[in-house]
């Protein structure tokens, strides 16, 4: 993945979106908290992911909603990088 890329990853419960920022990788829930949209289909704008449906946004570092109509935060997930392989640390839903 290059800087600015987003990848959807299936989880045992739902899916995550993994983002490559200039300083590393981040992961959030893929489902927007405002509606049935995949954030992996959105666009990164600095540290924020813009939802493709109504253009609300979330900080990918914290999961906080940062632009309306999004209000509720989304989950974030820790990542481990070992020998260049990025692994999402799944601890349940
Ligand atoms: S579904 Fe994401 S902003 Fe509305």
């Amino acid at each position: 993945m290059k800087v600015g890329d987003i990848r959807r990853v299936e989880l045992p419960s739902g899916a995550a979106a993994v983002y490559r920022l200039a300083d590393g990788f981040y992961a959030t829930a893929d489902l927007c908290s405002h509606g049935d949209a995949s954030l992996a289909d959105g666009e990164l704008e600095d540290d924020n992911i813009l939802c493709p449906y109504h253009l609300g946004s979330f900080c990918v570092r914290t999961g906080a909603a940062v632009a309306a109509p999004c209000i509720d935060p989304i989950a974030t997930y820790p990542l481990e990088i070992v020998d260049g392989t990025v692994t999402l640390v799944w601890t349940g839903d």
Side-chain angles (χ1 to χ4, degrees), residues 8-91:
R8 179 182 160 96
V9 177
E10 297 300 325
L11 299 176
S13 175
V18 177
Y19 313 91
R20 174 81 189 269
L21 301 184
D23 68 346
F25 294 88
Y26 296 86
T28 71
D30 183 54
L31 182 64
C32 179
S33 65
H34 180 251
D36 189 22
S38 169
L39 295 175
D41 293 335
E43 291 188 24
L44 276 170
E45 189 175 86
D46 299 321
D47 295 353
N48 300 327
I49 180 66
L50 274 59
C51 177
Y53 278 14
H54 307 112
L55 304 180
S57 64
F58 303 89
C59 174
V60 302
R61 297 176 188 271
T62 67
V66 295
C70 302
I71 297 170
D72 297 325
I74 54 175
T76 59
Y77 303 109
L79 298 169
E80 288 181 353
I81 303 173
V82 178
D83 295 332
T85 299
V86 179
T87 302
L88 190 147
V89 180
W90 173 251
T91 59

